[in-house]
Amino acid sequence: MPEAQLNFTDRELEPLYEKVAAQERLNHANGLTLYRSADLLGVGFLADLVRRRLHGRKAYYIYNQHLNYSNICVNGCKFCAFGKTAAEPGAYEMSLEEIFRKVEERLAEPISEIHIVGGLHPDLPFSYYLDMLRGIKALRPAVHLQAFTAVEIAHLAEVATMNVADTLAALKEAGLGSLPGGGAEVFSPRIRGDLCPKKLSPAGWLEVSQTAHRLGLRTNATMLYGHVETNEERVDHLLRLREAQDETGGFLTFIPLAFHPQNTGLEDLPETTGFDDLKNLAVARLLLDNFDHIKAFWIMIGPKLAQLSLAFGADDIDGTVMEERITHMAGAQTPMGLSRQHLLHLIREAGCDPVERDTLYNVIPS
Ligand code: V47
C-alpha cells in the first residue's frame, strides 16, 4: 500500500486515491464521497496531486480591472444583492464616458485584462455594449476584454434581435476577447425555480458558452455554492460542466463562487465556512479533469483562504481586481483590490512560484 494512503482518516478516500493516481475519471458517487468526507486534508491531498501534476508549483495571477457597468437588472434573483430595478435606491448605470474615465484613470498601470459584468438592463441599446468595447479598446488596444456572462449575452441577443452566434460575432468584432463564468449558479431545476426563475436556463447557459467556443471565444465557468443546494446538486452541476467541456473544450477555468447572504433574499443563511470553501475548490479540481485551471476568487473567500487553496487544488488566485461591486454589495469584507506585491507575497509564502498570466493563461514575462 503506498504510504500516502495510510494518511487518510477517512478510509472511503482510499479507492479514490487509486483512481486519482491512475488518472482515472471520477464518477458521481466519487464526487459525493468527496463532498461528504470530513477528511479535508485527505481531499486536499488528492486535489493537490492533480494540481501538481498539471502545474507543478506554479500559481497564476493576473493584473486586471473589474468594471460593473450597471446593476439594473430584470432578473431579480433571490441570492443577489447587486441587481436592482431602475426605480430602486442604489440603482446605477454608468455612461460610456464614465466607463472610459475609469479605464483612463488606470492607463499607467500594466493591466492586461478588463473584466466586465453587469445586470440585465431593460433599456440600454445594443450599441451601448458595442461602443463600450470599441471605446475601451481605443484607449487600451492591447487589453483583453473579458466581458458579459452567458446570461448577459442571451439578453443582448434579445436586445439586438439577433441570434446568439451573430450577437457574439458582433461583440467579438467590437473587441470582446472572452466571457466571464457567472450566471451558471447551480444547474438544478429545483434551485433555479426557487432562487432565479427568470434566469436563462442551464441548457441556455451551456448553449451560449458552447456557441462562444465554436466561434473561438474562450469562456469561464462557475458554481454559486453555500446557499440551499445539496451535495448531489453540486456534483450534478460539475459533471454537466465536464460533459460540456468534453464536447467543445472551450472553458478556460472553473471558479466556485462563495455565496454572500447580506442584503439578499436569503439573508438568514450563514456565510460559507473555510472548510466548505476549500472543499469546493478541491472537489472541483478532482471532478473537472478536463479543465486546465481552478481559480480561487480571493474577493469572495478572502486573500488568506485563497492562499491556502493553492494547496487544495487551486492554481490561480485571480488578480488585482481594484473595484468589485457584486460581492461587496452582499456584505463582503474583503478589500476592493490587492496590489501585485500582495499577490506575490501570498503565492510565495504558500511555497509556490508566481506566474503572471494574461486572460488566456499566456505567461507575461516579468
Ligand atoms: O452569476 C451574485 C454571483 C456572479 C452573489 O469568470 C454572488 O473569472 C456571491 O461572473 N454572493 C457574477 N456571489 C460574477 C462573475 C464572476 C465572478 C468572479 C470571477 C468570474 C470569472 C466571474 O456573481 C453571478 C452570481 O453567481 N453572485 N450574487 C452573492 N450574494
Side-chain angles (χ1 to χ4, degrees), residues 20 46 66 68 74 81 110 162 202 205 221 237 247 256 290 339 360:
V20 171
L46 293 176
H66 276 225
N68 299 127
V74 296
M162 298 198 303
W205 189 93
H237 183 92
E247 288 166 11
N290 52 6
S339 66
L360 304 176

Side-chain angles (χ1 to χ4, degrees), residues 63-69 94-116 128 131-147 321-323 325:
Y63 207 119
N64 62 354
Q65 175 178 11
H66 276 225
L67 250 174
N68 299 127
Y69 57 91
M94 290 181 192
S95 65
L96 290 174
E97 290 65 36
E98 261 175 279
I99 292 170
F100 299 152
R101 196 161 349 120
K102 282 193 179 285
V103 172
E104 269 171 330
E105 277 166 9
R106 297 198 176 266
L107 279 182
E109 294 177 55
I111 291 165
S112 67
E113 168 190 279
I114 301 185
H115 174 110
I116 305 173
Y128 170 89
D131 291 344
M132 181 196 307
L133 300 177
R134 285 193 198 109
I136 297 176
K137 275 291 203 184
L139 290 168
R140 253 196 190 278
V143 85
H144 181 107
L145 297 180
Q146 178 164 82
V321 180
M322 298 167 190
E323 187 182 327
R325 302 202 192 198

Side-chain angles (χ1 to χ4, degrees), residues 70-239:
S70 170
N71 64 350
I72 297 175
C73 188
V74 296
N75 261 358
C77 303
K78 239 191 220 175
F79 54 75
C80 187
F82 174 71
K84 309 259 180 247
T85 62
E88 255 179 286
Y92 73 89
E93 161 193 321
M94 290 181 192
S95 65
L96 290 174
E97 290 65 36
E98 261 175 279
I99 292 170
F100 299 152
R101 196 161 349 120
K102 282 193 179 285
V103 172
E104 269 171 330
E105 277 166 9
R106 297 198 176 266
L107 279 182
E109 294 177 55
I111 291 165
S112 67
E113 168 190 279
I114 301 185
H115 174 110
I116 305 173
V117 173
L120 306 190
H121 197 292
D123 308 317
L124 287 169
F126 190 46
S127 58
Y128 170 89
Y129 304 92
L130 295 172
D131 291 344
M132 181 196 307
L133 300 177
R134 285 193 198 109
I136 297 176
K137 275 291 203 184
L139 290 168
R140 253 196 190 278
V143 85
H144 181 107
L145 297 180
Q146 178 164 82
F148 315 132
T149 66
V151 174
E152 288 166 273
I153 296 291
H155 175 71
L156 296 192
E158 278 180 26
V159 169
T161 59
M162 298 198 303
N163 65 34
V164 166
D166 291 345
T167 306
L168 283 165
L171 291 164
K172 189 176 176 197
E173 172 74 26
L176 180 69
S178 63
L179 268 53
E185 320 314 353
V186 185
F187 291 146
S188 149
R190 178 187 76 89
I191 294 195
R192 298 188 91 89
D194 182 16
L195 304 188
C196 47
K198 290 197 194 158
K199 188 159 241 164
L200 178 68
S201 69
W205 189 93
L206 288 165
E207 184 53 35
V208 172
S209 302
Q210 293 190 306
T211 304
H213 300 167
R214 292 187 188 103
L215 289 170
L217 290 163
R218 307 295 300 270
T219 74
N220 290 346
T222 58
M223 175 175 74
L224 181 70
Y225 68 91
H227 41 91
V228 298
E229 82 287 3
T230 63
N231 285 332
E232 281 81 359
E233 288 163 338
R234 290 174 175 186
V235 175
D236 283 344
H237 183 92
L238 294 174
L239 295 191

